[in-house]
Amino acid sequence: MATPDAFLTLAEAADRIARRQLSPVELAKSCLARIAAADHRLDSFLLTRPEAALAEAAAAEREIMAGRYRGPLHGIPIGLKDIFETAGIRTTAHSKTLADHVPAEDAVVVRRLAESGTVLLGKLATHEFAIGGPSFDLPWPPARNPWNPERFTGGSSSGTGAAIAAGFILGGPGSDTGGSIRLPAGYCGITGLKPTYGRISRRGVLPLAYALDHVGPMAWSAEDCAILLQAMAGHDPLDPASADVPVPDYRAALRPDLKGVRIGVVRHFFEDDFRIADEARAAIDAALGVMQSLGAELREVRLSPVQDYGACGWMILFAEAWAVHEKAMRRRFFDFGRMMRNRVLLGAFVSSADYIHALRLRAALVHEMDTAMRDLDVVVSAGTPSEAPPIDEKPDYTSFQRPLMMPFNVTGQPALAIRCGISTNRLPLSLQIAGKPFDEATVLRVGHAYELATSWREMRPELT
Amino acid sequence: MTSTELTLAEFARHLERAGLRLGPGDMATLYGEIAASCQIVGEMAERVRARLEAARLPVDGPLPEPAHIFSREPDHGDA
């Protein structure tokens, strides 16, 4: 088996490993070397485990050489956002309050990925307990954007976004309560899928807001996400939100064209309700043109203002996050970082009536979206509102007034963030593709066809 | 809560009722940091109520679903 070329996608590496043209050990060594050389500028990892990872890679290589190939994740290096519990490996939520927390069991999705043969390189940075922002008052620094380390990664799956864009890992799971997979995917120029609510078990993942928490794959491409989703998806009777729905073959559903695909464009979300940067809007328009040229049928759809979805989602998120953290905050308020505690504390100002009204509005908005999508396969809207902002920009506590991601947490439908351009400052721009509940296959198909038709996937950040 | 701006005293009383015990200095600092966000939360609560009324889902009427459970129906999708 040979050593890897730089910057393989997960799918490319998997195909070479399957053909015994690429050694999992050499692939892991290559990733670990890249981490050693460059992560001191990005701070994407909170913990690496090189010896254990190389042992896992060697075991994978032995199995493959003995003819016991498990599938396309066998021998693939991944990382885990540090809210995914790992048996015997410290899981901190990037928080002083859990600095010594070593779980006894793996999260379900961690176990599923391990059973698929992945090689775990380490635990990744996050916003503290998956909320807040890039904080400098925590035991570890925030992750930085590989396209420009002075820029924000997006969050809360910040380390995962940075590590994939930098080529440190080939993929990994993120969590998404109000955009935490799709924002870092957008700002770091990778691909991230928030699947349908209930598609992937959240058991063993530290919660932020029970009714909105999703786990999903992050990787370099839609095809990579399809491979990861295949391993991660499935019913878990011990997760009360988990859905018992058949899991289709996601990679087999990928096609290079969009013939017959009906796309609704929710333009008012990013033009009227909230105006995104001009170059971000131009990139979306160009992407829609590509999708049309691939055979898709486009039409505009009108929904409630994006702020309605945002208010609904944030009220639920604030109330539930306060319920999750109130006991610890009463006892250890100043052990939490300022951004996290100030954001979570807002839940103390949400009344029980406000929370119930938000849940009721959620039902109405789900119905609205279902009705709007009756004759559509997917809807497209903006992803990140602009290029990544500076990481040290003064924290903006009104950021929840720009809720471009929140509509699809409220409705629970699958939503994919993909790169659709590069700004004049050479930073990624993104859009979202959202589908019907449990139809991740069509969402991934649209993303994959678009990625094949454009050259964005060929552009990697330069780690100097 | 409403979007009316909270005074420091109201803010402190509210957090003390929520079980947060801070000294006067820390409470004043916290007030300075998040009072504006609290007002936005109040505005969002008002938006939710207004939207429910516009959707003819009266805020004092019967719930349209068991509100504490959200689960997508599998047969909504094509897959």
Side-chain angles (χ1 to χ4, degrees):
Chain A
M1 292 196 192
T3 53
D5 301 332
F7 294 134
L8 292 173
T9 69
L10 193 160
E12 289 166 348
D15 290 345
R16 293 188 194 188
I17 288 172
R19 290 199 302 270
R20 302 185 186 184
Q21 294 172 347
L22 175 61
S23 153
V25 172
E26 295 304 322
L27 179 59
K29 282 182 180 174
S30 166
C31 290
L32 289 166
R34 206 171 282 147
I35 293 166
D39 199 41
H40 64 281
R41 290 195 296 277
L42 301 180
D43 296 318
S44 66
F45 275 88
L46 301 185
L47 175 154
T48 54
R49 52 193 297 272
E51 289 180 12
L54 288 173
E56 289 174 5
E61 190 160 316
R62 281 194 302 274
E63 286 188 29
I64 293 165
M65 296 307 283
R68 297 193 300 275
Y69 179 62
R70 299 191 201 183
L73 289 176
H74 207 171
I76 296 294
I78 65 163
L80 295 168
K81 180 180 185 177
D82 208 19
I83 64 167
F84 289 82
E85 293 209 312
T86 40
I89 303 172
R90 191 186 71 190
T91 301
T92 67
H94 210 129
S95 178
K96 179 181 178 183
T97 64
L98 290 184
D100 302 315
H101 174 54
V102 179
E105 289 185 27
D106 284 335
V108 170
V109 74
V110 172
R111 178 171 48 79
R112 286 183 173 168
L113 288 167
E115 288 170 353
S116 300
T118 55
V119 173
L120 178 60
L121 300 193
K123 304 297 290 286
L124 295 159
T126 170
H127 294 349
E128 188 177 15
F129 284 100
I131 191 169
S135 300
F136 293 87
D137 59 351
L138 302 176
W140 305 272
R144 291 172 176 272
N145 196 317
W147 294 85
N148 180 342
E150 300 305 313
R151 299 290 179 137
F152 183 33
T153 55
S156 61
S157 306
S158 49
T160 318
I164 292 166
F168 297 160
I169 54 174
L170 276 59
S175 68
D176 191 319
T177 308
S180 288
I181 286 173
R182 292 160 289 154
L183 277 166
Y187 282 149
C188 293
I190 65 167
T191 303
L193 173 68
K194 181 202 77 63
T196 312
Y197 185 77
R199 176 55 99 186
I200 297 176
S201 171
R202 300 130 350 130
R203 187 153 54 94
V205 183
L206 298 173
L208 175 56
Y210 308 109
L212 299 169
D213 285 345
H214 300 64
V215 169
M218 300 171 73
W220 188 248
S221 70
E223 183 180 22
D224 293 353
C225 285
I227 292 169
L228 285 164
L229 179 63
Q230 200 72 50
M232 294 161 67
H235 182 228
D236 173 13
L238 296 182
D239 175 351
S242 180
D244 190 2
V245 181
V247 178
D249 186 334
Y250 296 112
R251 203 177 183 191
L254 301 178
R255 288 161 53 180
D257 66 78
L258 295 177
K259 289 182 185 122
V261 175
R262 301 162 300 173
I263 297 177
V265 183
V266 196
R267 189 173 288 280
H268 67 89
F269 273 11
F270 59 92
E271 283 196 346
D272 305 334
D273 304 340
F274 171 71
R275 195 164 182 82
I276 62 172
D278 287 345
E279 59 184 351
R281 203 173 62 254
I284 293 170
D285 283 334
L288 291 169
V290 172
M291 291 176 188
Q292 197 165 28
S293 73
L294 292 170
E297 172 197 324
L298 269 53
R299 77 182 80 138
E300 285 205 25
V301 292
R302 191 143 198 109
L303 302 164
S304 295
V306 72
Q307 288 86 353
D308 284 5
Y309 286 89
C312 176
W314 279 110
M315 297 303 284
I316 295 169
L317 193 158
F318 286 142
E320 295 196 1
W322 175 243
V324 168
H325 290 291
E326 63 165 342
K327 185 177 173 187
M329 291 197 92
R330 283 174 184 147
R331 291 188 316 196
R332 306 182 62 178
F333 187 69
F334 290 106
D335 283 344
F336 292 97
R338 187 172 61 87
M339 293 185 81
M340 182 275 184
R341 67 183 187 238
N342 285 1
R343 187 64 65 93
V344 169
L345 198 57
L346 296 177
F349 292 87
V350 176
S351 74
S352 53
D354 292 337
Y355 176 64
I356 296 298
H357 295 327
L359 290 174
R360 298 178 70 214
L361 178 57
R362 183 185 203 181
L365 294 174
V366 166
H367 178 70
E368 173 185 79
M369 187 71 80
D370 282 349
T371 304
M373 290 198 67
R374 201 164 283 159
D375 299 319
L376 296 169
D377 298 301
V378 297
V379 292
V380 168
S381 187
T384 43
S386 64
E387 64 182 21
I391 192 170
D392 54 358
E393 197 169 71
K394 187 173 167 23
D396 179 6
Y397 293 110
T398 63
S399 62
F400 38 79
Q401 290 180 304
R402 304 193 296 266
L404 291 165
M405 305 289 172
M406 188 60 94
F408 308 120
N409 294 84
V410 167
T411 62
Q413 68 199 103
L416 182 77
I418 59 170
R419 197 194 320 171
C420 65
I422 292 285
S423 73
T424 50
N425 291 322
R426 291 193 57 78
L427 292 161
L429 303 167
S430 70
L431 59 76
Q432 285 187 90
I433 303 159
K436 293 177 178 173
F438 299 100
D439 191 15
E440 287 85 1
T442 299
V443 169
L444 289 164
R445 177 190 165 190
V446 174
H448 175 68
Y450 173 76
E451 287 178 348
L452 284 184
T454 56
S455 59
W456 306 121
R457 292 298 99 193
E458 293 157 26
M459 297 172 63
R460 291 270 190 173
E462 293 174 13
L463 299 177
T464 53
Chain B
M1 66 174 287
T2 71
S3 63
T4 309
E5 193 170 341
L6 288 169
T7 65
L8 172 58
E10 290 167 338
F11 179 83
R13 268 199 306 277
H14 190 94
L15 287 184
E16 282 163 9
R17 275 201 303 273
L20 200 66
R21 303 276 180 260
L22 299 177
D26 288 333
M27 190 65 83
T29 300
L30 189 59
Y31 176 75
E33 288 176 352
I34 71 168
S37 295
C38 289
Q39 186 163 346
I40 292 167
V41 171
E43 289 166 3
M44 289 196 293
E46 287 181 1
R47 177 180 275 272
V48 168
R49 287 169 188 260
R51 181 65 177 76
L52 279 176
E53 287 171 6
R56 301 186 181 196
L57 293 169
V59 293
D60 55 353
L63 295 174
E65 62 161 348
H68 61 292
I69 294 173
F70 174 74
S71 180
R72 297 301 316 230
E73 294 294 326
D75 60 358
H76 281 199
D78 290 337

